[in-house]
Amino acid sequence: MRTNTMTRTVVSLTAAAGIAAGGLAGAATATAQPTRSAPAATSTRDAAPLAVNNLGLSTTQARYVQCWIQDKWNYNGALDGQLGPQSWMSLQRWLKKYWGYDDRIDGIVGKNTISALQRDLKKYHGYKGKIDGIAGTKTKAAFKDFAADSKPYC
C-alpha cells in the first residue's frame, strides 16, 4: 500500500515538472519570436485619437445637438450621436461668439469649453452650479435639457 502512494507521488511530481518545463520551453520560444510593430502614422491627423465626449448624453440626445449645430453653426459632420472634435469645434464657435469662450477652436472639450457652456446652461437650461469648467452631474443634467431643446432641429 505504501509503495502505491509513493509511486503516485513520484508520478505526480514528474508530471508537474514536465508541465512546468514544457510551459517554460513554450514561453522561451514565444519570447524569442520577433514582434511586429504597428505601421507608423503618416501625419499628426492619423495619430490623433477620435475624442468623443457626449457629456452624459445618449446618442439620441447628442444627435439632437448635432442637428442644432448643423442648422446654426456650420457643422457638416455625420448626425451619428457622437460628439467628437468636429461637433465640439462647431459648439466652440458658438461659445466663442456668445458665451466667453476665449481659447482655440480645436474640438477639445477642456475647462474653457465647459466654462463657456456652463454660462449658457446657467442662463437657459437650469444649471445651478459654479462656472468652474468641470462637467459634473449638474452640468450634464443641464446639457440634457439643452439637447431636448435642440430636438426640433432634427
Side-chain angles (χ1 to χ4, degrees):
M1 189 84 143
R2 194 176 190 113
T3 48
N4 281 343
T5 305
M6 185 67 102
T7 303
R8 278 187 268 168
T9 303
V10 170
V11 169
S12 296
L13 289 173
T14 305
I19 291 169
L24 291 175
T29 56
T31 55
Q33 295 290 329
T35 58
R36 292 185 179 178
S37 60
T42 56
S43 72
T44 55
R45 183 171 181 227
D46 292 341
L50 174 61
V52 172
N53 190 343
N54 283 4
L55 289 185
L57 299 182
S58 68
T59 54
T60 300
Q61 293 165 324
R63 187 173 159 277
Y64 297 155
V65 172
Q66 288 175 322
C67 289
W68 181 76
I69 57 178
Q70 181 183 51
D71 189 62
K72 301 288 184 185
W73 292 98
N74 231 10
Y75 174 68
N76 57 11
L79 298 177
D80 59 2
Q82 302 294 314
L83 298 179
Q86 278 191 309
S87 298
W88 282 104
M89 286 170 60
S90 294
L91 285 163
Q92 287 170 336
R93 285 192 290 275
W94 163 66
L95 294 169
K96 187 172 205 108
K97 184 164 184 175
Y98 294 108
W99 299 105
Y101 178 71
D102 61 358
D103 214 336
R104 292 187 346 223
I105 305 296
D106 57 8
I108 298 170
V109 186
K111 189 172 182 126
N112 292 337
T113 303
I114 299 300
S115 292
L117 180 62
Q118 287 171 330
R119 288 184 194 97
D120 170 78
L121 298 177
K122 191 172 210 67
K123 185 162 184 175
Y124 295 112
H125 300 284
Y127 177 64
K128 304 279 189 224
K130 296 178 188 175
I131 307 298
D132 58 6
I134 299 169
T137 55
K138 292 177 184 176
T139 301
K140 290 176 181 178
F143 196 46
K144 286 182 183 191
D145 186 71
F146 178 95
D149 283 354
S150 301
K151 184 177 180 177
Y153 292 91
C154 282

